[in-house]
Amino acid sequence: MDGLEALRERGKRLTPQRRLVFSALLESPGHATADELCASISHKVPGFQRTTVYRTLDLLVEMGLARRVQLGHINAYEPIQVGNESHQHLLCDRCGATYDVSAPEVPQWVARSSAKIHFHVDRVELVGHGTCAACQHGLASELA
């Protein structure tokens, strides 16, 4: 958990609770909600506080160790690790499945466009909404 050392380097306490939340986030497949992380941790540590998860996630986002992603009507979280710093998301509006896609041209396009109006972009978040292949197949089956 080398990433957590950044907390200590910036004067934040590296508590066992913070380690548990960060570990659960790293172990989570894909994008996790705070409730999913709390449930995962509660299997190991019964009674783990939901507020601790939310506060730790806010701190991890603030420190650049995690990213909050608005997926439909929920906030999901993912760790920021080498190799996943810049990617976009596709969200199936039918079943809620989320897919990570790499489209390096998106941040480049935004940077070029924003430079024209002298706007500095800190980060680019893109969520494409649509219907995944499985749901498309299901829709086709329903119509047949």
Side-chain angles (χ1 to χ4, degrees):
M1 273 192 255
D2 296 330
L4 282 181
E5 290 304 319
L7 294 179
R8 186 174 286 143
E9 290 168 7
R10 295 180 187 166
K12 304 290 183 186
R13 290 180 39 228
L14 189 51
T15 65
Q17 294 86 351
R18 289 175 177 170
R19 286 184 184 275
L20 278 169
V21 174
F22 191 62
S23 177
L25 184 61
L26 289 173
E27 294 169 5
S28 176
H31 309 88
T33 65
D35 288 341
E36 290 168 341
L37 292 172
C38 190
S40 171
I41 295 167
S42 292
H43 289 297
K44 300 172 192 170
V45 183
F48 197 83
Q49 295 295 311
R50 185 178 315 274
T51 55
T52 301
V53 174
Y54 278 101
R55 287 182 185 143
T56 301
L57 287 170
D58 286 344
L59 178 64
L60 294 173
V61 169
E62 175 188 329
M63 302 302 276
L65 298 172
R67 159 185 317 113
R68 181 181 299 111
V69 183
Q70 183 75 35
L71 298 173
H73 61 280
I74 63 164
N75 283 324
Y77 298 84
E78 61 186 359
I80 296 177
Q81 297 175 302
V82 175
N84 84 343
E85 298 91 349
S86 179
H87 65 273
Q88 291 71 45
H89 300 92
L90 300 177
L91 175 64
C92 179
D93 290 327
R94 188 166 171 119
C95 71
T98 305
Y99 303 88
D100 289 345
V101 293
S102 178
E105 62 277 3
V106 171
Q108 295 166 5
W109 173 78
V110 171
R112 282 193 310 273
S113 298
S114 62
K116 292 177 186 175
I117 59 170
H118 307 286
F119 186 90
H120 175 77
V121 175
D122 293 319
R123 69 184 180 283
V124 176
E125 296 177 6
L126 174 73
V127 177
H129 290 263
T131 308
C132 71
C135 289
Q136 289 177 46
H137 180 69
L139 285 172
S141 298
E142 290 174 15
L143 296 175

